[in-house]
Amino acid sequence: RMAVYTHLNEHEAAAFLRGFGLVRLLHLRGTDAGSENTNYSVDAEDAQGQTHALVLTLFERGVEGLPYFVALTTYLAAQGLPVPSPWCDRQQQAMQVLI
């Protein structure tokens, strides 16, 4: 059973990821992780041809606390700790609304 509540096709995901500087979607697969969120395993390529393996999480509920956790994980990653680090768009924003 997959925990995908918000379904994205490859075209929608590729368009969304372009805002983050990822120019080519190589792989998109919904995962079974997440009880209230939608998670996709993503492989995408940036403009320099470098491939990135990412997890795209779509928060369905509980978004009020996200700014705190985004700031915390960004800080911890910058300190060299092995934590998931948010991927920022061209305006250095990690959180987006996907409609």
Side-chain angles (χ1 to χ4, degrees):
R1 178 177 162 270
M2 293 178 62
V4 173
Y5 305 102
T6 300
H7 294 274
L8 293 177
N9 63 40
E10 289 187 0
H11 177 74
E12 293 167 324
F16 181 71
L17 293 170
R18 276 193 288 278
F20 290 86
L22 300 168
V23 298
R24 186 168 157 233
L25 178 65
L26 304 171
H27 171 81
L28 176 73
R29 182 179 62 81
T31 69
D32 58 3
S35 58
E36 294 184 357
N37 304 317
T38 297
N39 293 296
Y40 285 96
S41 170
V42 174
D43 291 319
E45 194 173 271
D46 63 23
Q48 291 74 39
Q50 185 175 7
T51 301
H52 302 274
L54 308 165
V55 175
L56 173 61
T57 300
L58 307 176
F59 290 90
E60 313 291 338
R61 302 191 256 174
V63 297
E64 309 81 36
L66 285 179
Y68 168 79
F69 289 105
V70 167
L72 177 62
T73 55
T74 300
Y75 173 78
L76 294 174
Q79 300 306 307
L81 295 171
V83 298
S85 180
W87 191 279
C88 293
D89 67 9
R90 292 179 181 119
Q91 288 74 40
Q92 298 306 305
Q93 298 298 310
M95 294 177 24
Q96 301 291 324
V97 175
L98 179 64
I99 299 176

